Amino acid sequence: MSAEAPLPDPTDRAALLAGLRARIARLDPGLAGMAGRATLPLSPELDGHLPWNGLPLAGLHEVLSAEPGAAIGFSALLLARAQAALPGRSVLWIAPEPDAYPPGLARLGLSAASLILVRAPRPADALWAAEEGLRCPAIGAALLFGAAPDLTAARRLQLAAETGGGIGLLLRADDENPGPTAALTRWRLSARPSPEAGPHHLGEPGWEIALLRARGGRPGNWIGEWDAARGELRTLAPVQASAPGKKRRA
Amino acid sequence: MGSRRFARTPSLPLFEGGLPCAAPSLPAPKEALAASGRRFLMLHGEGLATERPAVWALRFSPLVGIWREEGLLLETTGLPDREPELLRRILHAFDKAGAAARGLLGGAPAALAALLRAGTASQVLTPAQEEAARPRLPVTALALPAAMIPALHRLGLRDVAALEAQPRGPLARRFGSAIAEELAALRGWIAPFTPVRPPPRHVQAREYLSPLCTGPALERAIGMLADRLCAGLLESGEGVRALRLTAFRGDGSWQELRQGLGQASRDPAHLRRLLDRRVEELRPELGFEKLILGAEVTEALHARQAGLPGEETPKEALSELLDRLAQRLRIWRLAPRESHWPERAVRRADAFGPIAEAPAARRPLRLLRRPIPITASALLPDDPPFQIVIGKRVERVVSAEGPERIEPEWWRPPEERPPRDYYRVQLASGARWWVCRRGVVGEVEAQWFVHGFLP
């Protein structure tokens, strides 16, 4: 924890209160200043729904992959947004067998020039690399594949992200019971047929974006479409969950 | 003997792949020894001229070489101990390690070797003593081809004084350049030797009275060496790119660790952190008596005001992070390459260097290293598939874009590489796959694969 500033003169009540508030904010940045945090813009609807008015930086986020293409697409979009919001910082891609493919990632706006791949066959190594990376002020985002860290490990990643100021992304398979999490948000991504698709035309990528939980916010469900030409995510207003049987505890 | 004659002898080799003992330009003969001022210890003994004793002797001096397969040469210039004590200490240590040796400490390695061959006892020679001993050296003690000795004896040339009195021209015509070279080496003008390890630019060493056995003790000791090394680097305006830690055990064995850095650094905290992680590789057994930390490769590093903790520039922070990651894991960047083959279009590049940007394409975000084999059904042989069977799952294809045909690159040696037809397909569930048919259209052995998932 950073060094504590001396409290002001105890007779000055207002200054004293402000000082104490600032100290609490320093002690747990996750609690204080919901609206005052630096965020990544996603889309107007998503930003308006999230309690931080956007996806907060200096935090850990979980993406459950119900369909590999959609989940990696959404994650790559977040990485690209983090790259744009934190210029000069690099992005870590940590996986047992990293197989990122820059030509495809470039279409989502992710630049390969600052993308560093880390091969971590053992989950312990992957967590260590993610924590070291997130703590480093030169890393804008770290994407961690496959590992389902326990609560302690996830909390460590969250604290590391608060130190470094980047975002941590956990991309995991969509388990039946994803368990509790220390991450700020948890998303589930599934594919959705594009409305303008024809037999010989795929149309723009369509995703079903489910916000399963957000610290201090409500869950939600959207239909998203990635507009590659304009480089933006278009979302429709919240919809009902796709199938009642697939509803899971978050 | 005139220096003019000497200057006319055909090209004397000054280097032999090693460091020149004196400066490459020949100094005037009389002041050669005094001018260079370098001091050497020559050791003769059973089995000494091999790598093991040589590396072990690095604990006494950072510059150790094997001298002409007969002895060890240690440069002692600038060592803190007084010379007689140094000699006694080194000989004692060799005795204790089971390799008895005789040693002479003086200025010209070749003369020291010749004196040892002539049977001189271990001692320290002042320049004056060396000067006085040289003329009395018998030719049999010199490093000359054995066949040359009887010929010299027949001419009545029995010692160095007699050799030096001869004009060099006739000697060189009769015996080649060997004699002139040896005479020059005896005076310390030339003495090439190859150090057993490249001399570090900066080195810190410390002996420990009670041997270090535990991890924390080693970490502390190495940390202190790193701090002092960084202080030296700061003074000379350099940063280290490669470190070497040599740890000597009491029983005469040792262990070496090398650690590279992605970017020159002289930040003690960074070096400590890198070395701390390597401590677990050290095997102290009965304990380490001496540690030497050397900066093997250095680079000029501009002076910069040390920032407060957490204020380091992103570039430095990144290279320090990559150093730490690369210690345990493989890291790389992906650089584009000119090729139509999807798996050849990117190549792994150094994680520390900058790379070019890849052009965007309608490609998957992850390219599966092992494509998943599938069964696909199409109405016509070159139609896109309308149904895909993957494992036991049957997926209906709603829309498909393609084919995108990729032919083998004719300029590469022919391999078993049939052409591929790629399709972007969208399944009923909305998932998008990048599938390919490998093989010529319509042939039975054409196989289908999923090569990646599209966003």
Side-chain angles (χ1 to χ4, degrees):
Chain A
M1 202 51 62
S2 58
E4 288 169 16
L7 286 177
D9 178 19
T11 52
D12 185 355
R13 264 181 83 86
L16 186 68
L17 278 176
L20 284 170
R21 282 202 190 100
R23 201 155 138 188
I24 291 172
R26 268 204 309 278
L27 287 172
D28 192 351
L31 273 181
M34 286 282 189
R37 298 174 71 124
T39 58
L40 299 178
L42 294 174
S43 78
E45 292 82 18
L46 285 174
D47 294 346
H49 183 86
L50 287 168
W52 305 272
N53 297 326
L55 194 75
L57 284 169
L60 182 70
H61 306 279
E62 253 186 55
V63 179
L64 302 184
S65 154
E67 200 278 316
I72 187 68
F74 185 69
S75 308
L77 175 64
L78 296 189
L79 295 183
R81 292 276 154 94
Q83 236 176 15
L86 303 165
R89 293 203 187 195
S90 298
V91 172
L92 290 184
W93 180 295
I94 305 161
E97 277 296 339
D99 47 5
Y101 197 59
L105 294 170
R107 260 175 78 80
L108 282 158
L110 182 63
S111 146
S114 62
L115 181 70
I116 298 161
L117 283 78
V118 181
R119 179 173 174 272
R122 292 186 305 161
D125 282 341
L127 284 174
W128 169 78
E131 194 184 329
E132 288 276 316
L134 285 174
R135 186 161 292 146
C136 177
I139 294 297
L143 174 63
L144 180 61
F145 269 88
D150 59 18
L151 215 53
T152 321
R155 178 83 185 131
R156 284 181 69 104
L157 291 181
Q158 167 65 27
L159 287 175
E162 279 168 17
T163 315
I167 62 166
L169 282 183
L170 295 173
L171 183 56
R172 329 171 13 191
D174 184 19
D175 300 334
E176 199 52 51
N177 182 5
T181 180
L184 295 182
T185 62
R186 172 181 277 168
W187 305 81
R188 184 169 62 220
L189 264 290
S190 356
R192 179 134 197 140
S194 176
E196 73 254 42
H200 299 293
H201 176 64
L202 261 60
E204 300 291 358
W207 300 328
E208 195 178 312
I209 305 168
L211 177 61
L212 299 184
R213 55 156 290 159
R215 196 185 284 186
R218 288 168 294 114
N221 235 320
W222 296 266
I223 291 179
E225 199 180 72
W226 169 246
D227 187 347
R230 292 166 61 191
E232 59 185 34
L233 179 70
R234 280 199 303 265
T235 46
L236 303 178
V239 293
Q240 292 303 308
S242 57
K246 280 188 78 177
K247 200 164 188 175
R248 279 152 222 211
R249 198 166 63 83
Chain B
M1 53 140 214
S3 57
R4 272 177 56 230
R5 279 176 183 279
F6 181 79
R8 272 195 279 124
T9 44
S11 60
L12 276 176
L14 289 170
F15 295 90
E16 233 176 51
L19 296 176
C21 174
S25 60
L26 278 181
K30 282 276 190 279
E31 59 215 44
L33 271 176
S36 81
R38 293 175 70 172
R39 304 288 285 169
F40 295 93
L41 169 62
M42 179 67 72
L43 289 170
H44 272 202
E46 193 76 24
L48 271 192
T50 51
E51 174 148 347
R52 266 188 75 81
V55 177
W56 184 71
L58 283 172
R59 60 189 297 174
F60 306 113
S61 158
L63 257 180
V64 176
I66 296 169
W67 181 263
R68 291 185 187 157
E69 288 153 22
E70 58 178 357
L72 278 187
L73 183 66
L74 279 69
E75 174 150 10
T76 59
T77 319
L79 292 189
D81 307 70
R82 286 189 49 240
E83 284 183 339
E85 267 129 59
L86 183 73
L87 180 67
R88 203 172 322 126
R89 195 162 61 86
I90 293 178
L91 291 180
H92 178 68
F94 269 91
D95 258 349
K96 223 174 86 182
R102 284 185 304 135
L104 273 184
L105 212 164
L112 299 176
L115 284 167
L116 281 172
R117 260 178 255 133
T120 317
S122 302
Q123 57 182 295
V124 176
L125 294 177
T126 61
Q129 283 173 323
E130 210 177 317
E131 190 87 357
R134 186 176 355 103
R136 295 201 305 272
L137 272 172
V139 289
T140 47
L142 302 187
L144 295 176
M148 216 181 265
I149 306 295
L152 286 171
H153 280 181
R154 272 199 301 280
L155 292 175
L157 303 171
R158 295 191 169 272
D159 55 15
V160 170
L163 271 183
E164 286 196 327
Q166 291 295 316
R168 298 293 164 84
L171 270 186
R173 273 200 295 282
R174 169 96 190 254
F175 296 106
S177 62
I179 290 181
E181 278 170 29
E182 178 65 9
L183 287 179
L186 287 179
R187 287 177 173 271
W189 296 342
I190 55 171
F193 80 101
T194 309
V196 65
R197 292 280 184 277
R201 297 270 304 148
H202 288 262
V203 66
Q204 284 295 337
R206 180 131 188 228
E207 299 209 16
Y208 302 93
L209 290 178
S210 55
L212 304 173
C213 298
T214 61
L218 281 168
E219 271 175 28
R220 219 174 90 81
I222 294 170
M224 282 167 66
L225 289 180
D227 288 352
R228 296 219 304 262
L229 191 72
C230 289
L233 289 166
L234 182 66
E235 216 161 274
S236 64
E238 285 169 289
V240 60
R241 283 293 306 272
L243 284 168
R244 188 178 64 209
L245 176 74
T246 321
F248 297 93
R249 300 188 193 100
D251 61 356
S253 58
W254 73 92
Q255 195 178 353
E256 274 182 306
L257 285 184
R258 283 195 166 76
Q259 174 65 51
L261 283 87
Q263 198 184 354
S265 164
R266 53 165 175 253
D267 177 10
H270 180 48
L271 299 195
R272 269 172 184 255
R273 232 183 310 180
L274 285 180
L275 290 168
D276 280 358
R277 206 170 280 296
R278 303 291 303 270
V279 163
E280 60 192 33
E281 291 171 39
L282 290 173
R283 299 271 164 272
E285 289 166 20
L286 294 174
F288 289 120
E289 280 189 342
K290 176 158 188 170
L291 295 178
I292 299 181
L293 183 65
E296 227 170 31
V297 184
T298 59
E299 270 176 16
L301 188 63
H302 289 300
R304 194 180 50 78
Q305 189 172 356
L308 295 171
E311 270 189 347
E312 55 218 321
T313 59
K315 200 174 161 229
E316 269 177 11
L318 181 66
S319 89
E320 291 182 1
L321 171 76
L322 296 184
D323 275 340
R324 291 201 298 279
L325 292 180
Q327 254 187 337
R328 265 169 77 164
L329 306 169
R330 276 210 51 178
I331 58 173
W332 66 90
R333 289 174 197 258
L334 289 173
R337 182 156 56 177
E338 297 236 346
S339 174
H340 292 298
W341 284 95
E343 61 268 32
R344 247 209 261 273
V346 293
R347 64 177 175 83
R348 292 185 182 188
D350 181 24
F352 292 94
I355 56 156
E357 198 70 56
R362 298 200 68 171
R363 290 279 188 262
L365 304 182
R366 288 172 61 193
L367 195 70
L368 297 179
R369 198 150 295 160
R370 289 185 198 81
I372 308 167
I374 52 172
T375 316
S377 324
L379 284 176
L380 293 171
D382 56 351
D383 259 11
F386 66 84
Q387 181 177 290
I388 288 174
V389 183
I390 178 164
K392 286 182 178 167
R393 246 165 72 204
V394 181
E395 302 277 0
R396 194 167 56 81
V397 174
V398 181
S399 44
E401 286 179 0
E404 178 185 347
R405 171 155 302 178
I406 299 180
E407 292 279 353
E409 294 166 330
W410 56 263
W411 57 92
R412 293 194 190 278
E415 298 167 32
E416 283 298 305
R417 249 169 210 267
R420 299 181 192 163
D421 283 337
Y422 278 94
Y423 294 93
R424 287 183 292 275
V425 300
Q426 178 162 297
L427 309 179
S429 65
R432 292 152 179 254
W433 292 357
W434 204 44
V435 300
C436 85
R437 176 178 48 218
R438 188 165 160 275
V440 183
V441 177
E443 278 193 14
V444 188
E445 58 262 34
Q447 291 162 304
W448 287 85
F449 295 94
V450 178
H451 206 173
F453 301 105
L454 295 163

